[in-house]
Amino acid sequence: MKKGLIVYHSKTGTTKLFGEEISNFLSKNQIESKAVSTNEFDHLDLVSNDYILFGCWTKGLLICLQHPDKEWVDFIKNIPDLCGKKLGLFATYKIAAGSMFSNMKKCLNGNSDNVLISLKSRNGHLSENNNQELLSFINK
């Protein structure tokens, strides 16, 4: 059975909720999955998972200058090369996601070419569009 790991950094709980919804969706689609915070993350989990999604909340001005917060950046810079893994990013936001995903990719230390999906949510819930994107992601 394929396995998925969803790693989130949440400030208010919205990103945690989104990560848990992604994990539940994967589980319902025959991908053994778990969601963990960056504080609970174990590097050994990277080896045994086929799908890995990293998420955080959007920091910055309303539409421009959006970026991940320093804690997430520091966390993600310590992630080793994930060659061969199917990667995804997700973010929660208040007004718009803007440049969030391009700034998240810049932090991935050579792993950005493996990013196959970018999901966003204002309220932490999966949209129908998110569901379709996730189905496409797991079927690639």
Side-chain angles (χ1 to χ4, degrees), residues 22-49:
I22 293 167
S23 178
N24 291 336
F25 181 89
L26 294 178
S27 294
K28 288 177 185 173
N29 285 277
Q30 312 333 302
I31 308 284
E32 184 182 327
S33 176
K34 71 177 179 176
V36 298
S37 74
T38 53
N39 294 331
E40 302 167 321
F41 173 76
D42 183 345
H43 277 80
L44 296 176
D45 284 335
L46 294 174
V47 176
S48 61
N49 283 278

Side-chain angles (χ1 to χ4, degrees), residues 39-112:
N39 294 331
E40 302 167 321
F41 173 76
D42 183 345
H43 277 80
L44 296 176
D45 284 335
L46 294 174
V47 176
S48 61
N49 283 278
D50 306 289
Y51 304 93
I52 302 169
L53 289 97
F54 295 108
C56 63
W57 57 281
T58 301
K59 183 174 182 174
L61 300 175
L62 297 178
I63 295 174
C64 61
L65 303 175
Q66 294 167 325
H67 58 281
D69 76 336
K70 183 178 178 347
E71 287 180 49
W72 188 85
V73 171
D74 291 344
F75 165 79
I76 209 73
K77 285 188 176 181
N78 291 314
I79 297 298
D81 182 17
L82 297 172
C83 185
K85 303 291 183 181
K86 292 183 178 181
L87 297 182
L89 298 174
F90 64 97
T92 56
Y93 62 96
K94 295 256 186 239
I95 304 295
S99 57
M100 185 65 173
F101 292 115
S102 62
N103 288 327
M104 289 173 80
K105 284 181 181 180
K106 289 176 187 175
C107 301
L108 285 173
N109 292 330
N111 290 308
S112 62

